[in-house]
Amino acid sequence: MEKKLFITFLKERGLRFTKERTVILQKSLSFNGHFDPESLYHQIRKTGLKASRASVYRTLNLLCECGLIERVRKTDRGTIYESSFGHKHHDHMLCIRCGSIIEFYSEPLEKIQEKVCKKHGFLGANHTLEIRGYCKTCQKKKK
Amino acid sequence: MEKKLFITFLKERGLRFTKERTVILQKSLSFNGHFDPESLYHQIRKTGLKASRASVYRTLNLLCECGLIERVRKTDRGTIYESSFGHKHHDHMLCIRCGSIIEFYSEPLEKIQEKVCKKHGFLGANHTLEIRGYCKTCQKKKK
DNA sequence: ATAAATGCAAATCGTTTGCAACGGA
DNA sequence: TCCGTTGCAAACGATTTGCATTTAT
């Protein structure tokens, strides 16, 4: 269980398992997918729990260090994280005209990536693929 | 030639082709690979040319809009760009331990993406694929 | 009791923006 | 001349950090 892993990680470093860290860990995992620090912070406040922004940031860094969550990418609006366990992977198609997003999953695509990694001696952990273009609807609208 | 493309782009929008923009365009292309705004700025000053940081940022945004360069990703130290030409399309593997980047290209990967797009009635224009994991060197360093 | 963690506000850092002076067209 | 552009410095927004106070161990 993730909590145990976190506690062990903290103990090893002489760090303490506090209420705030419990809350932040739980909420981080509760997203079951992508999330950002600001949403997490609001999620916590909405639930009546307490933890400052500073603690959120500090704890997210710890959770990254022990591998419970991962930094997916940085955007204009901040860093996107995702919990390392418990969600199924998918990729995105983004329509550059209307902004709609299609989520998809392709087994062959995953397989090929594994092959490519192997070829480069790289150990892949996860990936992000975004295909930009025009969705069915927008293709019909004349340019 | 890229300069022409940029001028046309500017003209279409009633924008002007200034000395500063010339300098920034040329230096951007001169990198032949990845670069960031700060390096570009220093590159310019080192050569005795002139353009403020503000103009660098403003012009990089324009160069992105007309497709001459692309935003590759954001890091702690800022955004990484790359010129769109003179390089054939490739994807990235990013080592989450040492930050090193491996560029690769896989024909099968491209083909499969086309297929997936077709299946979803999506007209793909371009894409970004980033595989995160551990490079050969970092796999060896003990956990 | 001791050292680490918290919350706050101030500090950072990359990037953007307001504005007066400047300069292509 | 008429706007767009520039450089500067101030403004911004996400994240980090210093510090006095609180708290886990």
Side-chain angles (χ1 to χ4, degrees):
Chain A
M1 188 230 202
E2 290 89 349
K3 190 166 166 180
K4 192 136 203 168
L5 196 159
F6 192 35
I7 294 180
T8 307
F9 167 82
L10 291 172
K11 231 167 224 159
E12 274 174 4
R13 313 197 159 199
L15 304 178
R16 292 164 187 173
F17 189 58
T18 64
K19 293 185 190 66
E20 289 80 358
R21 286 178 179 163
T22 316
V23 170
I24 295 165
L25 167 63
Q26 289 180 339
K27 287 291 178 190
S28 293
L29 300 177
S30 81
F31 275 97
N32 245 50
H34 294 172
F35 68 93
D36 61 276
E38 194 62 17
S39 312
L40 176 52
Y41 175 67
H42 285 118
Q43 194 62 38
I44 289 172
R45 313 220 80 209
K46 198 172 7 178
T47 342
L49 298 166
K50 84 175 238 299
S52 66
R53 262 194 194 77
S55 289
V56 166
Y57 281 104
R58 283 189 277 236
T59 303
L60 287 180
N61 286 335
L62 288 172
L63 291 173
C64 279
E65 281 180 59
C66 71
L68 279 169
I69 64 175
E70 286 167 44
R71 252 177 280 269
V72 175
R73 56 188 230 275
K74 306 202 167 237
T75 72
D76 296 331
R77 285 150 237 95
T79 302
I80 297 184
Y81 294 85
E82 75 178 6
S83 52
S84 307
F85 306 109
H87 60 273
K88 48 183 171 329
H89 163 75
H90 62 258
D91 295 306
H92 298 283
M93 293 176 189
L94 167 66
C95 179
I96 56 183
R97 194 170 203 273
C98 71
S100 66
I101 291 179
I102 300 172
E103 293 186 354
F104 70 92
Y105 175 80
S106 158
E107 191 62 34
L109 208 47
E110 305 289 318
K111 285 274 166 57
I112 300 259
Q113 287 186 53
E114 280 172 35
K115 261 189 208 154
V116 177
C117 283
K118 195 160 289 175
K119 191 162 103 189
H120 289 265
F122 191 84
L123 175 61
N126 57 61
H127 69 261
T128 327
L129 168 63
E130 181 180 277
I131 306 181
R132 291 175 295 276
Y134 298 90
C135 70
K136 209 178 277 188
T137 316
C138 286
Q139 286 171 53
K140 286 178 198 143
K141 298 174 193 160
K142 75 127 66 35
K143 231 290 286 304
Chain B
M1 183 230 202
E2 290 88 350
K3 190 167 165 180
K4 191 133 201 167
L5 196 158
F6 192 36
I7 294 180
T8 307
F9 168 81
L10 292 171
K11 229 166 222 159
E12 274 174 2
R13 311 196 161 200
L15 304 177
R16 290 163 189 173
F17 189 59
T18 65
K19 292 184 191 65
E20 289 80 0
R21 285 178 181 165
T22 317
V23 170
I24 295 164
L25 167 62
Q26 289 179 340
K27 287 291 178 192
S28 293
L29 300 178
S30 81
F31 276 98
N32 246 48
H34 295 169
F35 68 94
D36 61 276
E38 195 63 16
S39 313
L40 176 53
Y41 175 66
H42 284 119
Q43 193 63 39
I44 288 172
R45 313 219 82 207
K46 200 175 359 184
T47 341
L49 298 166
K50 80 177 242 303
S52 65
R53 263 195 192 75
S55 289
V56 166
Y57 281 104
R58 283 190 276 236
T59 304
L60 287 179
N61 286 335
L62 288 172
L63 291 173
C64 278
E65 280 181 57
C66 71
L68 278 169
I69 64 175
E70 285 169 43
R71 252 176 281 265
V72 175
R73 66 198 193 90
K74 307 203 169 237
T75 73
D76 296 331
R77 286 150 237 95
T79 303
I80 296 183
Y81 294 85
E82 77 178 4
S83 51
S84 308
F85 305 110
H87 314 291
K88 39 189 176 331
H89 163 74
H90 59 257
D91 295 306
H92 299 282
M93 294 175 188
L94 167 67
C95 178
I96 56 183
R97 193 168 201 274
C98 70
S100 67
I101 293 178
I102 299 172
E103 296 185 353
F104 70 92
Y105 175 79
S106 159
E107 190 61 35
L109 207 48
E110 306 289 318
K111 286 273 167 58
I112 301 257
Q113 286 186 53
E114 281 171 36
K115 260 188 207 153
V116 177
C117 283
K118 194 160 287 173
K119 190 162 106 190
H120 289 265
F122 192 83
L123 175 60
N126 58 62
H127 70 261
T128 328
L129 167 63
E130 181 180 278
I131 305 182
R132 291 174 296 279
Y134 298 89
C135 70
K136 210 178 280 186
T137 315
C138 287
Q139 286 172 51
K140 286 179 200 142
K141 297 176 195 159
K142 74 129 61 43
K143 232 289 287 302

